[in-house]
Amino acid sequence: MKKTLLALAAIAASSAVFAQSSVTLYGVVDASVESVKGTDTVTRVSSDNLVSSRLGFKGTEDLGGGLKANFVLEAALAVDTGATKDRFFDRAAWVGVSGGFGALRFGRQDTSIGELAGNISILGAQAYDDLKIAKTFSGDGYRRTDNAITYILPKFVDGLSAQVQYSTAAGSSGTVGTENNDKIGSHYGLNVQYAASGFSAGLGYIQAKNSNTVDDTGLLAYLGYDFGVAKLSGYFEQDKRDGMAEKLQVLGARVDVPFGKDFKLQASVAQVKDQEMTANNEDDATIIALKGVYALSKRTSVYALFTNVKNDDQVKLNVGQSVADGKTARGFAIGLSHKF
């Protein structure tokens, strides 16, 4: 009897320990049939047009005293081919701690501007979204970063969040350890966001060392208000590279309209200015996009996307299919997205 009680006590103690630690497997599977027009028109099965397909693991352990250990490992998956990127956990690979002081994370993460761009409820950085198409720092060049240290401040005010970030080598483009190149790819950044009573706003900033003599600087800001019948948003990004004559700028506006609880329609227009960062008047573009999403359940949605890109004479922005300078590009996709 005593041995049985001791065994039960040991099992109970071990269960209590495991209850303080949890690991979650999660993911997204997104695929569509699309027709994209560039120099040629191509019809194909594609991945990631609404959201990025992924497989992830996240976990937390209660360390006591309000302190927790946390981690995320997230791999990008291509549903059309089953392929992964060269680095398996390309989307995220970080570990950290959180508590009353906020949170501290170490590893591969979203940059401070990439976090804003990649959130589809705010902006979006998929193949049919303007920040990706325009090759902005937030949607393309500095979407994520290696070797990052991120500090997320505690929430002093309801709805307010902020973070600061430093990366020792965002792209590791130099030869690490050499005197001249060990800082190439390093960057620092920050963002601040606020959301309350239908109003939302955010600001993100990054400065990165592109080479020994060239710095990249990116600024992304957005404002939005949800009127219930529709949500209106405006956003602006400015990217600057040392030595270039002009700054790349994207100014956009978007409206999201819900039709009942299951269907949402989104329309947006963006003006891209000085995409090539050169001093001429023919490197602008206009991007118009429509997006409709119908929720079949909490986890599964069907969607339709349309994006049209009107390029000036010296610009060749496109929707996943190369196009000649000055030619119009467009894409249309119908797809299915499932979360688990």
Side-chain angles (χ1 to χ4, degrees), residues 81 127 137 145 179 206 230 325 330:
T81 64
F137 289 164
T145 177
E179 182 178 354
I206 190 172
D325 285 347
R330 65 177 61 95

Side-chain angles (χ1 to χ4, degrees), residues 22-306:
S22 64
V23 177
T24 301
L25 170 69
Y26 66 94
V28 177
V29 183
D30 181 293
S32 59
V33 177
E34 67 175 358
S35 177
V36 289
K37 176 184 179 297
T39 303
D40 300 309
T41 299
V42 176
T43 301
R44 62 195 177 197
V45 174
S46 189
S47 181
D48 306 346
N49 282 329
L50 181 67
V51 292
S52 296
S53 298
R54 70 200 74 167
L55 177 67
F57 304 86
K58 59 183 177 181
T60 183
E61 181 184 10
D62 190 343
L63 301 175
L67 190 66
K68 293 182 179 180
N70 310 292
F71 79 89
V72 170
L73 298 170
E74 194 169 285
L77 304 175
V79 177
D80 53 337
T81 64
T84 62
K85 293 197 174 182
D86 291 339
R87 297 180 295 181
F88 188 74
F89 292 117
D90 181 75
R91 288 182 54 84
W94 59 261
V95 65
V97 292
S98 61
F101 65 91
L104 194 60
R105 298 174 179 173
F106 304 91
R108 181 165 173 80
Q109 305 163 55
D110 290 348
T111 65
S112 292
I113 57 174
E115 182 185 34
L116 306 187
N119 188 335
I120 61 173
S121 65
I122 300 173
L123 295 172
Q126 302 304 116
Y128 281 64
D129 294 324
D130 46 26
L131 295 179
K132 180 70 173 181
I133 291 170
K135 303 184 187 304
T136 63
F137 289 164
S138 71
D140 193 64
Y142 294 101
R143 173 67 180 85
R144 296 182 178 87
T145 177
D146 296 340
N147 312 121
I149 304 167
T150 304
Y151 172 54
I152 302 170
L153 279 66
K155 292 187 177 181
F156 300 109
V157 178
D158 287 344
L160 181 66
S161 62
Q163 72 172 42
V164 292
Q165 185 178 75
Y166 176 73
S167 170
T168 56
S172 300
S173 55
T175 303
V176 176
T178 62
E179 182 178 354
N180 293 328
N181 292 329
D182 59 0
K183 295 298 183 182
I184 294 176
S186 64
H187 84 263
Y188 62 86
L190 58 87
N191 70 40
V192 180
Q193 299 183 76
Y194 180 75
S197 303
F199 174 77
S200 59
L203 176 69
Y205 174 83
I206 190 172
Q207 182 167 325
K209 185 162 286 297
N210 181 280
S211 70
N212 290 326
T213 58
V214 175
D215 284 353
D216 290 340
T217 304
L219 177 72
L220 175 62
Y222 70 90
L223 286 171
Y225 191 83
D226 192 340
F227 294 92
V229 294
K231 178 182 178 181
L232 299 178
S233 303
Y235 48 98
F236 173 76
E237 177 160 349
Q238 178 173 280
D239 298 338
K240 178 181 180 297
R241 174 163 291 163
D242 290 348
M244 301 302 290
E246 298 292 342
K247 306 177 184 71
L248 164 63
Q249 296 181 335
V250 177
L251 179 63
R254 153 178 144 179
V255 57
D256 294 83
V257 181
F259 292 88
K261 63 182 181 64
D262 295 326
F263 181 67
K264 293 182 179 179
L265 181 65
Q266 179 189 111
S268 65
V269 59
Q271 180 68 31
V272 182
K273 181 175 174 57
D274 297 319
Q275 197 278 329
E276 299 290 333
M277 296 187 183
T278 56
N280 65 64
N281 297 319
E282 297 179 336
D283 60 350
D284 299 347
T286 301
I287 303 172
I288 297 173
L290 295 172
K291 180 185 298 183
V293 181
Y294 183 80
L296 299 174
S297 69
K298 290 183 178 181
R299 296 179 178 272
T300 304
S301 298
V302 292
Y303 62 86
L305 312 173
F306 174 77

